[in-house]
Amino acid sequence: QVQLVESGGGLVQPGESLKLSCVASGGTFISYSMGWFRQAPGKEREFVGVINWGGDSTYLEDSVKGRFTISRDNAKRTVYLQMNSLKPEDTAVYYCAAHHDYFTFIRRWITHLEIWGQGTLVTVSS
C-alpha cells in the first residue's frame, strides 16, 4: 500500500492562498482515490474533498467549494489541494488519505480509511 507525506502548510493572512501537496510512495498510486481532511483544535476530523484515480472527478465539501480545488499528477504520485481566499476558520491540520473506493470518501466513512499522511498545519491569521 502507499505511504503519504503532506507538505505546504504554513501561516497566511485571511484572503491569501496556499497549495498543499501529498506525495505517495510505494503501492500503486493510480489505483487510489485521494482525499483531503482537516482537523481544527478541539474538533473532529472533517472531510474536505476527494479526487478519483484518474483525476477527472472531484467532490468538495460545501464549506470550501469555490475556494479550494483538488488535482493530482499521477506521474509525480502527488495530489494537491489549492486553497484560495483562506479564512481563519480554515485553520487546521490538513491530512491526505488514500482509499481504493471513491465513494468511501463521499460517504465520509472515515473509520474505513487506513492510509493517512502525518498532516500539515495551516494557520490563517492576521
Side-chain angles (χ1 to χ4, degrees), residues 1-7 21-25 34-39 45 79 93-99 105 113-121:
Q1 63 184 28
V2 294
Q3 293 81 47
L4 307 174
V5 177
E6 301 96 334
S7 62
S21 299
C22 171
V23 179
S25 60
M34 300 295 297
W36 285 96
F37 293 77
R38 64 187 182 185
Q39 188 165 17
R45 192 168 299 189
V79 62
V93 177
Y94 283 71
Y95 300 90
C96 62
H99 197 279
F105 293 99
L113 300 174
E114 298 180 341
I115 304 172
W116 294 89
Q118 84 290 348
T120 185
L121 176 62

Side-chain angles (χ1 to χ4, degrees), residues 7-119:
S7 62
L11 172 64
V12 296
Q13 295 189 348
E16 293 186 338
S17 298
L18 207 57
K19 187 173 185 177
L20 306 183
S21 299
C22 171
V23 179
S25 60
T28 306
F29 181 64
I30 61 171
S31 71
Y32 290 92
S33 290
M34 300 295 297
W36 285 96
F37 293 77
R38 64 187 182 185
Q39 188 165 17
K43 295 188 176 181
E44 294 186 352
R45 192 168 299 189
E46 66 174 5
F47 172 74
V48 174
V50 59
I51 187 167
N52 72 335
W53 70 271
D56 58 343
S57 182
T58 61
Y59 180 85
L60 289 163
E61 187 60 79
D62 286 346
S63 60
V64 304
K65 278 181 182 176
R67 300 188 299 123
F68 291 12
T69 57
I70 298 177
S71 61
R72 67 189 291 164
D73 184 335
N74 285 337
K76 295 182 178 179
R77 301 174 62 90
T78 302
V79 62
Y80 305 98
L81 181 66
Q82 176 67 49
M83 304 185 294
N84 300 327
S85 303
L86 282 162
K87 305 175 181 180
E89 51 264 42
D90 295 318
T91 294
V93 177
Y94 283 71
Y95 300 90
C96 62
H99 197 279
H100 293 295
D101 180 25
Y102 180 76
F103 291 98
T104 293
F105 293 99
I106 301 295
R107 297 182 181 112
R108 280 80 162 168
W109 287 351
I110 292 180
T111 57
H112 288 226
L113 300 174
E114 298 180 341
I115 304 172
W116 294 89
Q118 84 290 348

